[in-house]
Amino acid sequence: MQILNNLGNMIYDLRFVIAYGSVIIVTVILFTGCLLKKKIAGSIAAAAVLSLTAAGGILYCIPHTVIDADIEDVYRIEVSDVTVTDRKAIEEILNDLNGSLYKRMLPSGIGGYEEYSVRGFDRDGNLLFCLGISDGQTVDTGLFWEKRVNGEFHFLAEYTYHDVQK
C-alpha cells in the first residue's frame, strides 16, 4: 500500500511536467504533419506554440528567489500582526526568505491558504513585497504558490507568536 501511496504522490508532484510533455508531444505531431503536407503557415504556427510552450516550461521549473528587495531599502516588515523595525531582525528575515531557492507549484488562484503574511515597506511606507506563507516551506507570491527547494523558514516561530514590537 505504501508503494501505491508513493507512486500517487510522485504523479501528483509531476502533474505539470506531464501536462507540458503532453502539449509538446501534440504540438510536435502537428508540426511534423504540417511539414509533411508542406503547409508553411501551419508549420510556423506549430513551431511558435512549441517554442513558447518549451520556454514557459523551462521558466516554470527553474528555481529562483522570491524577493528582490535590498536590505537597505526595507525600513520595516510586518509578519502577520507583528511589526519589525530592528535592522538586524529585518536582515535576518530577508536572509531567511532569500536563503533558499523556490520552485513554482500552482497558480495562486488555485487552492492553498495563507497562515501568515509577510509585507515589507520602504521608509515612505510604500509596499515593496507581500508574501503569504502557508507553512514552513510554501509561499504565495501573488502569482504562484512556490515551495522552498531546501530548508524551512526560521523567522516564523519568533515573529508570529509574539505581540511584541521589535
Side-chain angles (χ1 to χ4, degrees), residues 46-106:
V49 169
L50 184 62
S51 299
L52 291 173
T53 303
I58 291 168
L59 290 175
Y60 184 84
C61 293
I62 292 176
H64 57 280
T65 59
V66 293
I67 297 177
D68 58 356
D70 291 329
I71 292 173
E72 295 82 28
D73 296 338
V74 180
Y75 180 70
R76 72 180 157 99
I77 292 180
E78 292 178 0
V79 181
S80 292
D81 294 332
V82 177
T83 300
V84 180
T85 56
D86 179 52
R87 298 304 305 160
K88 185 173 181 181
I90 289 173
E91 185 175 346
E92 288 174 5
I93 292 171
L94 289 177
N95 287 339
D96 193 14
L97 286 167
N98 283 331
S100 177
L101 296 175
Y102 297 81
K103 290 185 89 175
R104 291 180 177 98
M105 294 173 24
L106 288 171

